[in-house]
C-alpha cells in the first residue's frame, strides 16, 4: 500500500529536466545538412555534462579516409558541449562524424551523423564500423559490477548483522565477512583496469596501457573507484583491531558502531557519486536516497546470508532471530521509500514504464521485490510462531524448577520450626529428657516409634516414589542430556528457517541482477529528453524540415530534407536532399517547392529549385513577411507518377 500510494503521488507530481545518461541535443553542422562552405569546427550539445576522450571525434571524408581533427574540448567552457576543430580546405562531398563521450553517470554514449559540403556525395563512403562497446570488455565490466554489488551486500550486511543482532557466537560470520571484503577488493581493482577500455569501446588489452590508466584515475568514476579501494583498506584495519581486542559481540562499543557505520556510508557513496544519482535533477537528494537504498539492500540481503551461516551449525537463539526480523522490517521500509523516489526520478511519466527499456527492467525488478516481500512476510509470521514454540519448553522447565525450589524452601522451614519446638519443651525435675516430636516420639496408636534409619553409604537411596513403584508406567522417564525436550522444536526451527532464508536470498540475487541492469540503462526521462532534442537542426538560425513522401509505386517512397537559410523574412537560400527508403541519397526527375502564407493570403511563391547534381537548391527565394508558412513539395519520380506533400514552417 505504501509503495502504490507514494508512486502515484510522485508520478502525478509532474516531470522535470532530463535525468542521467546524457543524450545528444544538437549538432553543428546539423545532421544531413548541406553547407555552401566547409565548417571550421564541429560542436555537439548534450542534455547533461559529459567527459571527453582522446578519440571523442572521428571524421571520415567522401573518400573514406579519416580527417585529422583538433583535440576535443568543451565549447565556451560549457561542460555539456564537445568541440573539435577541422582542417581548412575540406573537399566537397559528404562527411561522416562518429563521436563518443562519457556521460555524467559514468556510462559512455556514442553516435554518428553526416553533413555535406557543396553537394552531397552520390553515395557516402563506407566508414569503419565502431561498436558502442567491445563485447568482451562490456561482459567483463558488467560481471565485475554485479559481483561488486553482491560483495558490498555481503560485507556490509554481515557486519551489520553481527553488530545489530548480536549472535552469541559470531565465529560462523567470519567466512562471509572475509569473502565479501576480498571479492569487493578484487572487483574494484578489475573495474579500475577495465575503465579505460570500457569508455573507449576497445578490447581488454587496452587496460595495460599506463597512459589510459592515468586518465582513468583523474576522472570522476576512476576517483570513486580509487576511494573505494582506500576505504576497503581502512575497513580491513578496523576489523583487525576489533578482532585483536576480542570485543564482546553482545555489547559492541558505541565508537565501534559509529566507525563501522561511517565506513559503510563511505562505501555506498562511491557508487552514488559515480552513477545515475550524480546527474540530472535533484542531485543531493538523489545521492542521499541512493546511499540509503544501497545500505538497506545490504543490511537485508547480507543479513540473510549471515543468518544462513549461523544456521549451518545450529539454530540461532530466538532473540537473535527476533532482532534480525526487526532490522529487516526497517530495511524494507527504507528500500520502498527510496526505491519509489528513484523510480520517479528515472521514469518521469507513466508511459515510460512500458515504452522504455529502463521501465521494463524496473517492472521486472518490482515483480521480484514484491515476491521477496511476500516471502519475507510469510517467513516473519512463521518465525514468530516458531520462536514462541521453541521457547515454550524452556518456560515450562523454568516453572518446574521454580516449583521445586519453593517445595525445598517449605521443607527446610518445617525442619527449622520442629527444631525450635524441641528446644522450647521444659525438662521435668528427675524426669526424662526432651521427647521427640511428631512421629519420632511415638508410633501410631501408642506404638513405639521406630528409630531413625541411618542411611547406608554402600546402598544408594531409591528416590522412586512408592506409587511409581506400584505403577511403573507412571514413572518418570529419565532425561537424556543429549536430547533435551526442546531439541525437536529447535531442529524444526533451524530446518524451516534455512529453507525460508534460502528462498529469500535467491530472489534477492535476482533483484541485484535487475539493479545492475538498471544502472547501465538510460532512464526513461533521459530517453524522452533525447527524443525531444532529436528534431532536425541545421545551420545556426536556419529552418530544417524533413518531409516524407509516398507515390504508391515500387521505389516511390522516401523523404525530402529541406533547409531554409537563414529562415527569416527576406532573401533565403534553399537546399533540398532526397533520401530513398533505405536512407541513402536518391534522385528524381523533378522537385518543385512553393510557399503560402494563408493568414495574409500571400502565395503561392515558387522557390524555382534547380538540380545541382545530387541535390536541389536556389538562392533566390524571398519571403516578405513573418508567420507560419505552408510549404508544399511536389516530387515527380517518373513521367506519370508524382505526389505533393505539405509542411508548416515558422519564419521569423
Amino acid at each position: 500500500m505504501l509503495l502504490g500510494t507514494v508512486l502515484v503521488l510522485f508520478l502525478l507530481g509532474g516531470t522535470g529536466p532530463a535525468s542521467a545518461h546524457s543524450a545528444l541535443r544538437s549538432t553543428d553542422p546539423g545532421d544531413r545538412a548541406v553547407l555552401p562552405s566547409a565548417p571550421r569546427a564541429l560542436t555537439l550539445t548534450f542534455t547533461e555534462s559529459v567527459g571527453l576522450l582522446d578519440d571523442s571525434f572521428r571524421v571520415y571524408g567522401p573518400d573514406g579516409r579519416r580527417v585529422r581533427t583538433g583535440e576535443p574540448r568543451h565549447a565556451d567552457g560549457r561542460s555539456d558541449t564537445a568541440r573539435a576543430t577541422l582542417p581548412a580546405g575540406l573537399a566537397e562531398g559528404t562527411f561522416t562524424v562518429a563521436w563518443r563521450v562519457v556521460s555524467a553517470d559514468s556510462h559512455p554514449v556514442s553516435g554518428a551523423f553526416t553533413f555535406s559540403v557543396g553537394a552531397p556525395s552520390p553515395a557516402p563512403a563506407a566508414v569503419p564500423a565502431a561498436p558502442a562497446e567491445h563485447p568482451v570488455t562490456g561482459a567483463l565490466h558488467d560481471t565485475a559490477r554485479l559481483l561488486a554489488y553482491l560483495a558490498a551486500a555481503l560485507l556490509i550486511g554481515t557486519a551489520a548483522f553481527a553488530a545489530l543482532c548480536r549472535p552469541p557466537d559470531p565465529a560462523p560470520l567470519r567466512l562471509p565477512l572475509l569473502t565479501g571484503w576480498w571479492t569487493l577488493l578484487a572487483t574494484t581493482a578489475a573495474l579500475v583496469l577495465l575503465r579505460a577500455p570500457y569508455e573507449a569501446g576497445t578490447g581488454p588489452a587496452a587496460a595495460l596501457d599506463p597512459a589510459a590508466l592515468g586518465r582513468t584515475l583523474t576522472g570522476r568514476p576512476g576517483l570513486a573507484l580509487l576511494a573505494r579501494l582506500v576505504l576497503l583498506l581502512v575497513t580491513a584495519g578496523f576489523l583487525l583491531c576489533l578482532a585483536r581486542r576480542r570485543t564482546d559481540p553482545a555489547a559492541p562499543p558505541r565508537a565501534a558502531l559509529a566507525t563501522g557505520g561511517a565506513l559503510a556510508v563511505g562505501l555506498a557513496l562511491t557508487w552514488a557519486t559515480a552513477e545515475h544519482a550524480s546527474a540530472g535533477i535533484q542531485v543531493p537528494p538523489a545521492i542521499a536516497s541512493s546511499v540509503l537504498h544501497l545500505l538497506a539492500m545490504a543490511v537485508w540481503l547480507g543479513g540473510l546470508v549471515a543468518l544462513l551461516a549461523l544456521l549451518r551449525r545450529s539454530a540461532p537463539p530466538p532473540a537473535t532471530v527476533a532482532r534480525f526480523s526487526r532490522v529487516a522490517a526497517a530495511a524494507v521500509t527504507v528500500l520502498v521509500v527510496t526505491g519509489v523516489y528513484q523510480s520517479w526520478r528515472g521514469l518521469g511519466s507513466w508511459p515510460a514504464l512500458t515504452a522504455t527499456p529502463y521501465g521494463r527492467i524496473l517492472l521486472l525488478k518490482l515483480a521480484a521485490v514484491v515476491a521477496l516481500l511476500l516471502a519475507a512476510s510469510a517467513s516473519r509470521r512463521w518465525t514468530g510462531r516458531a520462536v514462541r514454540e521453541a521457547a515454550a519448553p524452556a518456560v515450562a522447565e523454568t516453572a518446574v524448577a521454580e516449583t521445586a525450589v519453593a517445595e525445598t524452601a517449605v521443607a527446610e522451614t518445617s525442619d527449622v520450626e520442629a527444631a525450635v519446638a524441641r528446644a522450647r519443651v521444659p525438662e521435668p525435675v528427675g524426669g526424662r529428657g526432651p521427647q521427640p516430636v511428631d512421629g519420632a516420639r511415638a508410633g501410631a496408636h501408642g506404638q513405639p516409634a521406630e528409630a531413625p534409619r541411618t542411611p547406608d553409604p554402600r546402598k544408594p537411596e531409591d528416590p522412586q516414589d512408592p506409587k511409581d513403584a506400584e505403577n511403573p508406567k507412571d514413572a518418570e522417564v529419565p532425561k537424556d542430556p543429549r536430547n533435551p525436550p526442546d531439541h525437536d522444536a529447535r531442529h524444526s526451527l533451524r530446518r524451516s528457517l534455512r529453507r525460508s532464508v534460502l528462498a529469500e536470498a535467491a530472489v534477492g540475487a535476482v533483484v541485484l541482477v535487475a539493479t545492475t541492469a538498471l544502472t547501465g540503462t538510460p532512464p526513461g526521462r533521459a530517453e524522452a529528453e533525447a527524443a525531444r532534442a532529436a528534431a532536425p537542426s541545421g545551420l545556426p538560425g536556419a529552418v530544417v524540415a524533413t518531409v516524407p513522401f509516398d507515390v504508391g509505386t515500387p521505389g516511390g517512397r522516401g523523404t525530402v530534407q529541406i533547409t531554409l537559410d537563414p529562415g527569416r523574412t527576406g532573401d533565403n537560400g534553399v537546399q533540398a536532399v532526397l533520401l530513398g527508403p533505405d536512407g541513402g541519397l536518391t534522385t528524381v526527375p523533378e522537385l518543385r517547392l512553393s510557399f503560402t502564407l494563408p493568414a495574409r493570403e500571400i502565395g503561392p511563391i515558387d522557390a524555382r529549385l534547380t538540380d545541382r547534381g545530387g541535390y536541389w537548391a536556389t538562392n533566390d527565394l524571398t519571403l516578405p513577411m513573418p508567420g507560419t508558412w505552408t510549404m508544399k513539395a511536389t516530387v515527380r519520380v517518373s513521367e506519370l507518377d508524382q505526389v505533393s506533400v505539405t509542411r508548416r514552417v515558422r519564419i521569423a
Side-chain angles (χ1 to χ4, degrees):
M1 291 175 62
L2 175 65
L3 176 65
T5 302
V6 180
L7 184 61
V8 169
L9 290 176
F10 271 122
L11 289 182
L12 295 183
T15 60
S19 171
H21 257 76
S22 300
L24 182 64
R25 186 188 298 275
S26 64
T27 65
D28 180 16
D31 186 18
R32 301 179 182 177
V34 180
L35 311 179
S37 60
R40 296 306 308 272
L42 300 172
T43 303
L44 308 182
T45 304
F46 297 88
T47 58
E48 299 289 346
S49 60
V50 295
L52 303 180
L53 307 172
D54 292 341
D55 204 26
S56 282
F57 288 93
R58 290 179 294 112
V59 182
Y60 298 91
D63 56 358
R65 296 181 181 180
R66 185 166 178 178
V67 177
R68 186 179 298 274
T69 61
E71 181 181 358
R73 299 181 181 276
H74 293 296
D76 303 325
R78 295 170 50 193
S79 60
D80 62 344
T81 62
R83 172 176 291 178
T85 58
L86 294 172
L90 291 180
E92 289 191 353
T94 301
F95 291 80
T96 302
V97 180
W99 55 268
R100 187 180 184 89
V101 296
V102 181
S103 62
D105 58 359
S106 78
H107 299 288
V109 183
S110 60
F113 67 95
T114 63
F115 68 92
S116 301
V117 177
S121 301
V127 299
E133 67 177 22
H134 194 279
V136 177
T137 303
L140 291 175
H141 188 268
D142 292 342
T143 302
R145 289 173 58 243
L146 174 60
L147 291 177
Y149 274 116
L150 292 172
L154 196 59
L155 174 62
I156 298 175
T158 303
F161 185 91
L164 301 177
C165 302
R166 304 190 295 277
D169 181 18
L173 304 182
R174 178 183 179 86
L175 178 61
L177 195 67
L178 291 178
T179 302
W181 188 88
W182 280 107
T183 303
L184 187 55
L185 181 70
T187 53
T188 303
L191 288 172
V192 171
L193 295 176
L194 291 171
R195 186 69 207 172
Y198 173 70
E199 291 180 348
T202 57
L208 304 178
D209 184 6
L213 182 61
R215 289 192 300 271
T216 296
L217 297 180
T218 57
R220 184 168 61 176
L223 290 175
L225 293 173
L226 189 61
R228 190 183 304 169
L229 289 175
V230 174
L231 286 172
L232 283 174
L233 295 179
V234 175
T235 301
F238 171 68
L239 294 177
L240 287 176
C241 290
L242 289 182
R244 290 177 180 176
R245 292 182 180 180
R246 299 184 181 276
T247 304
D248 183 11
R254 292 184 178 179
L257 290 176
T259 304
L263 290 173
V265 171
L267 287 173
L269 277 171
T270 62
W271 273 276
T273 56
E275 293 189 348
H276 286 170
S278 62
I281 61 173
Q282 303 176 1
V283 171
I287 289 180
S289 173
S290 180
V291 168
L292 292 175
H293 195 78
L294 181 61
L295 292 179
M297 175 273 298
V299 169
W300 186 14
L301 300 184
L304 290 175
V305 178
L307 188 57
L308 275 176
L310 292 180
L311 289 170
R312 289 186 60 187
R313 292 195 176 184
S314 61
T320 300
V321 179
R323 292 189 193 106
F324 176 69
S325 184
R326 291 191 294 269
V327 170
V332 167
T333 302
V334 175
L335 278 173
V336 169
V337 175
T338 57
V340 167
Y341 170 73
Q342 293 182 124
S343 299
W344 164 79
R345 186 173 179 269
L347 286 173
S349 64
W350 282 109
L353 197 60
T354 56
T356 62
Y358 185 90
R360 290 189 287 269
I361 296 175
L362 184 61
L363 285 177
L364 175 63
K365 178 182 177 180
L366 192 59
V369 169
V370 170
L372 191 58
L373 289 174
L374 292 176
S377 177
S379 175
R380 180 180 173 88
R381 291 194 301 269
W382 180 92
T383 298
R385 185 171 64 253
V387 167
R388 290 191 297 271
E389 293 175 357
V395 174
E397 287 187 0
T398 302
V400 171
E402 292 177 353
T403 303
V405 170
E407 292 177 352
T408 303
V410 171
E412 292 178 354
T413 303
S414 300
D415 292 344
V416 172
E417 291 177 353
V420 172
R422 287 196 300 271
R424 290 180 178 177
V425 175
E427 181 181 356
V429 177
R432 294 178 301 176
Q435 300 297 316
V437 296
D438 300 335
R441 180 173 54 188
H445 306 288
Q447 298 295 329
E450 295 182 1
R453 184 177 61 180
T454 303
D456 188 353
R458 296 171 300 175
K459 298 181 179 180
E461 294 188 30
D462 184 9
Q464 188 179 33
D465 188 74
K467 296 181 181 179
D468 294 339
E470 296 177 1
N471 301 304
K473 296 182 180 180
D474 299 335
E476 182 180 358
V477 179
K479 298 179 180 179
D480 185 357
R482 296 170 299 178
N483 187 25
D486 63 341
H487 173 76
D488 293 338
R490 285 184 176 272
H491 182 69
S492 175
L493 171 64
R494 176 187 177 188
R495 184 175 59 252
S496 301
L497 268 180
R498 183 184 299 174
R499 287 199 300 264
S500 174
V501 172
L502 273 175
E504 291 184 47
V507 181
V510 176
V511 173
L512 279 181
V513 171
T515 300
T516 306
L518 279 177
T519 59
T521 305
R525 190 189 294 267
E527 289 197 2
E529 174 68 13
R532 290 193 296 267
S537 60
L539 298 173
V543 174
V544 180
T546 301
V547 182
F549 66 89
D550 187 356
V551 178
T553 60
R557 293 185 299 108
T559 57
V560 183
Q561 179 182 293
I562 302 169
T563 303
L564 280 76
D565 179 23
R568 296 177 176 273
T569 57
D571 294 337
N572 285 265
V574 180
Q575 296 89 32
V577 180
L578 289 99
L579 305 175
D582 57 353
L585 292 174
T586 186
T587 59
V588 295
E590 185 181 10
L591 175 62
R592 298 192 304 272
L593 194 65
S594 63
F595 293 83
T596 304
L597 184 59
R600 298 297 181 92
E601 298 181 353
I602 299 176
I605 300 175
D606 190 357
R608 303 180 186 276
L609 299 179
T610 58
D611 190 355
R612 301 290 181 90
Y615 73 103
W616 297 73
T618 183
N619 293 322
D620 301 324
L621 174 64
T622 301
L623 300 177
M625 300 187 67
T628 301
W629 290 71
T630 299
M631 180 177 63
K632 179 180 178 182
T634 301
V635 182
R636 182 169 62 85
V637 298
S638 68
E639 293 295 333
L640 300 176
D641 300 312
Q642 71 176 28
V643 65
S644 296
V645 289
T646 60
R647 179 62 54 88
R648 292 184 177 181
V649 293
R650 178 71 180 175
I651 301 299

